[in-house]
């Protein structure tokens, strides 16, 4: 009587509170006071002592609760406490069984608790017909969830399945014999409990009872469709009866596929006959829940079961005839009473995507696009997810989807403007980006209309950086699709690009990476003028859909807005080292695009980027700088001499200070080799200006001193050459080794006593590279030496990897790289003849001291030199 009276039960509440506290203490002692017996194989006595009384108490409390729950209005505090105690006891059983499976089985409570849970789930679940869920129904749902969790835990328990804690099968060794015996006993117990009839009944109950939408579900769907869609995410499956039932049903289906698949197919046949396609909802029998006929809700539940078990039911469902005769019609069903089934059909298609035939795909696309136009965010997002699955499928054919691109994009943009949740907007944007990516050149006719829609989406997403990131990613893909016609998109793209990389805007912290990615893609696709003999390039242009013939003047005008971003790039790079790799890629593409005019106009900004990083970043960061410096000198040797003088001075000081690694030193020497090779007059100025500023190379302990009598510039040069040749073998790239060898050949012509003092080590390095690359009997090059002006983005997420990878081969940049490679002396010169010519010119430049230095050379070195130079 105290359970029904709010006042009579008050004296019992303190005792109940103490009982709950004692239960909590006991549970923690059992769980954390003993090692898991699944690993130790040692019985836990506390389980045998404590758990059976817990189960008896659980049974008693459940019996006491039956028939006394009363109405929500008269529900006493003691009744709420009773339901709380029942829930805590069942949760304790779940946790103890998971921690100590063998002791739990030995305590003889496994079967009684399983039977209790199954009986509970076989009872019909209340529909919660009111506008809000009653307290007794909420308590019953929580209890049902714990029953499902317990059954699922038993079915998936590795110990009971005869597997190790890691999930692997037990071997036949004697060490595993005790585990096999325990597992055999547990499996015998469970086999006796899980009869075919019980499994079939429980499966039917899960589908027809616990997967059926309730009035509360329909109310949540109606009041907040986006939140309801998010709540259907299985990541929180232990919080919702439907999701928990899905997981238990799937676990049972996987373990008993041959037995339970026919049960599910039979249910499918039943709901198909009781609620046929096109039936008048008024003619359907049964109650209505939230305005939806009960047969429709039951059909939705069975469809859900077929969707969840798609893999296991693959051989039991005749998919194609079902899709053509029933599902496509239900996907187009617009009557409100059939909305749950329509949404479930979209999910079914997503789960069974591998079975959708090519000839059926256009009809499926049409149905899903129509479903996305429904004024219901939950329906829209379900259709978006299904369409994404179809487009992302291996069997997707872009030519089949061409006619649907325009309507799909229009609907997606409209849905984006209506969506209020960030997850909804992100999911919709993901589909837009996927369509752009998968359609390739077929998206070109729709690029301009899509681009015109993006600024409004950007404006609507003020303060939502994650959505604006999706806008930038979409722009990246669209610009890449346009190829060398991308300047047409610059008026729409550049304002967003400039905003993203402007550090004055607070959002730049979130948008910087994707803004730089957009600048990179735009620079790589900017138009280029193919030189003579570029017939293959012209063919590629025709095949890629480029419509405009670019002249040098028009290409330069088109590139100007991109080159104008260099100051913003320099400011962004100065603010953080986070984007150094992406920034170097962007700068490389801009240098290739702008060439000498870029350095003449923005030389100070370019120089500042390197001055900020040199000596202030890690070894890996330093190694990212040198390929770009090499590229700058290659593209514009004369302009680079002035722009990079401060950079070369600082780098020289860092190298001679002796704090950098051999890897950094050897790769830095490639930059100086490039200066020697393409602008030799600028090289000695570095040492003359450094000496004039009072810089001198520090002496290393144990190192040889420079020859006496050298002027300060020559002393610096001697230290530099000594460091260069000493670290020469730190270079692994065949291209860079040849660059350095050619640079040393050019250095031989410098009329400095420091060169003659180091001539032995210089020639050893040069002849070594000659042996590697040209030392064959036929004198041909042994190692292929190709242009290396780009690098892979790696795994650090510079920009979306599909766009980054594709844009590396963009037509405009490919033309520029080929032109640069064709003019590169590293590709046109052979080392042997170059060495021979340098020796003759060095003899004239140095005079008798050169002959004296050569006469004192080691005979072995001289012999090798004669072979390499063909003397």
């Amino acid at each position: 009587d105290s359970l029904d009276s709010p006042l009579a039960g008050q004296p019992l509440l303190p005792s109940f509170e103490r009982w709950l506290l004692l239960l909590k203490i006991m549970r923690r002692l059992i769980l954390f006071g003993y090692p898991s017996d699944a690993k130790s194989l040692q019985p836990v006595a506390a389980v045998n002592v404590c758990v059976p009384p817990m189960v008896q108490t659980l049974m008693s409390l459940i019996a006491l609760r039956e028939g006394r729950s009363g109405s929500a209005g008269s529900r006493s505090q003691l009744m709420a406490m009773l339901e709380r105690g029942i829930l805590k006891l069942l949760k304790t059983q779940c946790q103890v069984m998971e921690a100590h499976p063998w002791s739990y089985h030995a305590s003889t409570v496994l079967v009684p608790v399983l039977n209790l849970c199954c009986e509970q789930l076989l009872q019909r679940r209340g529909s919660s017909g009111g506008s809000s869920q009653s307290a007794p129904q909420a308590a019953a749902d929580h209890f049902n969830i714990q029953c499902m969790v317990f059954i699922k835990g038993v079915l998936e328990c590795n110990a009971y399945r005869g597997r190790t804690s890691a999930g692997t099968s037990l071997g036949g060794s004697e060490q595993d014999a005790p585990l096999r015996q325990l597992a055999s006993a547990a499996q015998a117990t469970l086999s006796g409990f899980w009869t075919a009839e019980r499994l079939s009944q429980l499966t039917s109950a899960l589908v027809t009872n616990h997967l059926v939408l309730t009035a509360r579900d329909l109310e949540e769907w109606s009041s907040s469709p986006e939140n309801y869609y998010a709540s259907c995410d299985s990541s929180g499956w232990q919080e919702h009866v439907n999701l928990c039932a899905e997981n238990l049903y799937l676990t049972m289906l996987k373990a008993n596929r041959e037995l339970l698949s026919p049960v599910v197919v039979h249910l499918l046949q039943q709901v198909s006959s009781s609620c046929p396609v096109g039936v008048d909802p008024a003619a359907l029998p049964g109650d209505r829940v939230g305005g939806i006929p009960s047969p429709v809700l039951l059909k939705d539940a069975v469809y859900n079961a077929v969707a969840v078990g798609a893999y296991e039911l693959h051989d039991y469902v005749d998919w194609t005839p079902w899709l053509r005769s029933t599902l496509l019609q239900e996907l187009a069903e617009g009557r409100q009473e059939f909305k749950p089934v329509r949404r479930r059909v979209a999910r079914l298609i997503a789960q069974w995507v591998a079975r959708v035939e090519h000839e059926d795909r256009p009809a499926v696309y049409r149905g899903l696009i129509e479903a996305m136009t429904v004024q219901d965010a939950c329906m829209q997002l379900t259709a978006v997810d299904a369409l994404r699955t179809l487009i992302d499928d291996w069997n997707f054919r872009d030519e089949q989807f061409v006619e649907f691109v325009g309507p799909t994009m229009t609907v997606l943009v409209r849905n984006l403007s209506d969506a209020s949740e960030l997850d909804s907007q992100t999911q919709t944007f993901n589909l837009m980006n996927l369509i752009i990516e998968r359609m390739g050149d077929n998206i070109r006719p729709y690029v301009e209309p899509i681009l015109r829609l993006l600024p409004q989406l950007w404006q609507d997403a003020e303060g939502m950086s994650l959505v604006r990131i999706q806008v930038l990613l979409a722009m990246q893909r669209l610009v890449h699709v346009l190829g060398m016609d991308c300047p047409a998109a610059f008026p729409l793209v550049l304002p967003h690009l400039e905003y993203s990389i402007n550090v004055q805007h607070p959002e730049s912290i979130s948008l910087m990476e994707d803004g730089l990615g957009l600048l990179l893609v735009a620079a790589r696709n900017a138009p280029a003028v193919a030189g003579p003999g570029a017939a293959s390039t012209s063919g590629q242009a025709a095949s890629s859909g480029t419509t405009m013939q670019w002249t040098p003047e028009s290409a330069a005008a088109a590139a100007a807005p991109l080159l104008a971003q260099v100051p913003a790039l320099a400011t962004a790079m100065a603010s953080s080292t986070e984007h150094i790799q992406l920034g170097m890629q962007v700068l490389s593409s801009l240098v290739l695009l702008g060439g000498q005019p870029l350095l003449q106009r923005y030389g100070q900004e370019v120089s500042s980027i390197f001055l900020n990083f040199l000596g202030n970043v890690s070894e890996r960061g330093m190694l990212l700088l040198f390929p770009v410096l090499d590229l700058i000198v290659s593209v514009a040797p004369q302009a680079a001499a002035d722009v990079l003088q401060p950079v070369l001075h600082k780098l020289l000081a860092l190298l001679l200070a002796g704090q950098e690694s051999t890897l950094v030193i050897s790769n830095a020497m490639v930059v100086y080799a490039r200066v020697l090779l393409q602008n030799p007059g600028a090289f000695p100025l570095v040492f003359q200006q450094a000496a004039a500023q009072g810089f001198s190379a520090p002496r290393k302990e144990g190192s040889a001193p420079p020859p006496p009598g050298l002027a300060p510039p020559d002393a610096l040069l001697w230290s530099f050459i000594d460091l260069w040749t000493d670290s020469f073998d730190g270079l692994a790239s065949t291209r860079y080794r040849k660059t350095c060898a050619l640079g040393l050949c050019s250095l031989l012509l410098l009329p400095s006593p420091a060169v003659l003092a180091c001539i032995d080590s210089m020639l050893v390095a040069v002849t070594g590279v000659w042996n590697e690359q040209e030392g064959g009997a036929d004198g041909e090059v042994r190692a292929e030496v190709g242009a290396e002006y780009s690098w892979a983005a790696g795994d650090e997420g510079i920009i979306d990897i599909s766009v980054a990878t594709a844009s590396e081969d963009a037509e405009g940049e490919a033309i520029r790289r080929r032109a640069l490679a064709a003019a590169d002396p590293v590709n046109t010169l052979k080392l042997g003849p170059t060495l021979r010519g340098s020796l003759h010119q060095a003899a004239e430049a140095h005079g008798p001291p050169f002959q004296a230095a050569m006469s004192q050379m080691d005979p072995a070195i001289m012999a090798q030199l004669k072979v390499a130079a063909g003397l």
Side-chain angles (χ1 to χ4, degrees), residues 610-616 645-655 672:
F610 295 101
L611 291 174
N612 286 330
F613 286 141
L614 282 175
N616 298 318
Q645 276 294 328
V647 178
L648 295 176
H649 290 163
K650 185 172 183 178
L651 181 57
L652 176 65
L654 290 171
L655 298 178
Y672 292 97

Side-chain angles (χ1 to χ4, degrees), residues 607-689:
S607 176
S608 69
I609 293 175
F610 295 101
L611 291 174
N612 286 330
F613 286 141
L614 282 175
N616 298 318
V617 294
S618 64
E619 177 186 83
R620 188 168 184 267
M622 293 285 284
L623 293 176
L624 293 173
L625 306 178
F626 303 140
V628 189
L629 289 170
D630 176 46
L631 176 64
I632 292 173
V633 179
S634 301
V635 169
Q638 300 302 321
D642 296 329
V643 169
L644 297 182
Q645 276 294 328
V647 178
L648 295 176
H649 290 163
K650 185 172 183 178
L651 181 57
L652 176 65
L654 290 171
L655 298 178
L656 294 182
Q659 301 299 317
E660 302 297 332
S661 67
T662 301
L663 188 60
V664 169
I665 294 172
S666 58
N667 281 270
M669 294 303 178
V670 177
V671 179
Y672 292 97
R674 177 66 68 177
V675 174
L676 279 164
L677 192 57
Q678 298 201 238
N679 190 359
F683 180 78
L685 295 178
V686 176
F687 298 88
Q688 293 170 9
Q689 294 179 9

Side-chain angles (χ1 to χ4, degrees), residues 52-203:
M54 288 183 189
V55 174
Q56 292 177 3
T57 305
L58 175 63
M59 302 288 188
S60 301
L61 293 179
I62 291 175
L64 187 62
R65 183 188 64 178
E66 295 299 327
R68 289 181 170 272
S69 53
S71 65
S74 62
R75 185 169 179 262
S76 68
Q77 192 173 357
L78 186 60
M79 175 60 77
M81 191 72 74
L82 174 66
E83 290 170 344
R84 182 182 171 194
I86 292 173
L87 196 61
K88 292 292 185 182
L89 281 169
L90 188 52
K91 280 185 176 181
T92 300
Q93 303 308 302
C94 297
Q95 294 171 339
V96 173
M97 185 275 299
E98 181 181 357
H100 306 297
W102 301 128
S103 300
Y104 193 85
H105 174 256
S107 67
T108 68
V109 298
L110 179 59
V111 170
V113 177
L114 276 174
N115 186 66
L116 169 67
C117 292
C118 288
E119 291 299 325
Q120 173 70 22
L121 294 177
L122 289 175
Q123 296 178 15
R124 181 159 184 80
R125 180 187 177 204
S127 64
S128 185
S131 60
S132 61
Q133 190 176 30
S134 66
Q137 183 59 48
D141 282 350
H142 290 313
F143 187 65
N144 286 336
I145 289 174
Q146 284 306 311
C147 290
M148 295 180 202
V149 170
F150 182 82
I151 296 174
K152 187 174 186 292
V154 172
L155 292 173
E156 293 183 338
C157 179
N158 286 324
Y160 296 160
R161 295 166 64 199
R163 296 177 177 272
T164 65
S165 57
T168 58
S169 300
L170 294 175
S173 63
E174 295 184 4
Q175 183 180 2
D176 292 333
L179 278 174
R180 288 198 301 273
Q181 293 176 1
L182 291 169
S184 178
Q187 289 168 3
T189 301
L190 292 173
S191 297
F193 178 80
W194 288 119
T195 62
E197 181 181 4
R198 191 189 297 271
L199 285 168
S200 300
Q201 289 178 347
L202 184 56
T203 300

Side-chain angles (χ1 to χ4, degrees), residues 626-809:
F626 303 140
V628 189
L629 289 170
D630 176 46
L631 176 64
I632 292 173
V633 179
S634 301
V635 169
Q638 300 302 321
D642 296 329
V643 169
L644 297 182
Q645 276 294 328
V647 178
L648 295 176
H649 290 163
K650 185 172 183 178
L651 181 57
L652 176 65
L654 290 171
L655 298 178
L656 294 182
Q659 301 299 317
E660 302 297 332
S661 67
T662 301
L663 188 60
V664 169
I665 294 172
S666 58
N667 281 270
M669 294 303 178
V670 177
V671 179
Y672 292 97
R674 177 66 68 177
V675 174
L676 279 164
L677 192 57
Q678 298 201 238
N679 190 359
F683 180 78
L685 295 178
V686 176
F687 298 88
Q688 293 170 9
Q689 294 179 9
Q693 295 172 7
F695 176 74
S696 60
R699 287 278 307 279
K700 290 184 180 180
E701 185 177 352
S703 62
L710 291 179
D714 294 324
L716 280 177
L717 180 59
W718 180 90
S719 299
F720 177 83
I721 298 173
D722 181 63
L723 182 65
W724 189 353
T725 55
D726 185 58
S727 62
F728 196 92
D729 288 333
L731 277 175
S733 166
T734 56
R735 172 180 180 77
Y736 289 161
R737 290 179 68 82
K738 183 178 180 182
T739 302
C740 284
L742 291 172
L744 289 174
C745 290
S746 180
L747 184 56
L748 289 173
L749 309 183
L750 188 64
S752 169
V755 172
L756 298 182
C758 300
I759 195 168
D760 287 20
S761 58
M762 293 170 60
L763 292 176
V764 166
V766 174
T767 55
V769 176
W770 178 87
N771 275 316
E772 296 167 4
Q773 302 187 20
E774 300 177 14
D778 55 1
E780 294 298 323
V781 176
R782 288 182 177 180
E784 288 294 331
V785 183
E788 297 181 2
Y789 293 116
S790 68
W791 49 84
D795 58 356
E796 299 195 6
I798 291 176
I799 59 173
D800 187 89
I801 189 63
S802 59
V803 183
T805 302
S807 67
E808 287 180 356
D809 299 322

Side-chain angles (χ1 to χ4, degrees), residues 234-319:
S234 60
S235 61
W237 64 273
Q238 293 190 24
E239 301 173 4
H240 302 275
V241 175
N242 313 57
L243 298 180
C244 200
E246 284 182 15
N247 280 269
L248 176 56
Y249 156 76
L250 185 58
T251 299
M252 296 174 61
L253 188 61
K254 287 180 178 178
N256 305 275
R257 178 185 178 188
E258 294 181 358
L259 173 64
L260 298 182
S261 293
V263 175
V264 180
V265 173
H266 178 65
L267 291 173
L268 180 60
Q269 294 169 348
Q270 284 184 329
V271 298
S272 297
S273 62
S274 64
C275 184
V277 178
V279 67
D280 183 358
L284 292 174
D287 299 331
R288 289 178 175 256
V289 180
I292 308 297
S294 296
V296 174
L297 294 177
L298 182 58
K299 191 173 192 178
D300 169 78
V302 175
Y303 278 16
N304 188 16
V306 177
V308 171
Y311 182 81
E312 285 70 25
L313 298 173
H314 183 276
D315 298 327
Y316 294 87
V317 175
D318 195 0
W319 169 260

Side-chain angles (χ1 to χ4, degrees), residues 28-37 40 42-47 99-100:
R28 287 180 173 271
L29 286 173
I30 295 174
L31 294 178
F32 306 113
Y34 305 90
S36 173
D37 65 4
S40 68
Q42 298 298 317
V44 179
V47 175
H100 306 297

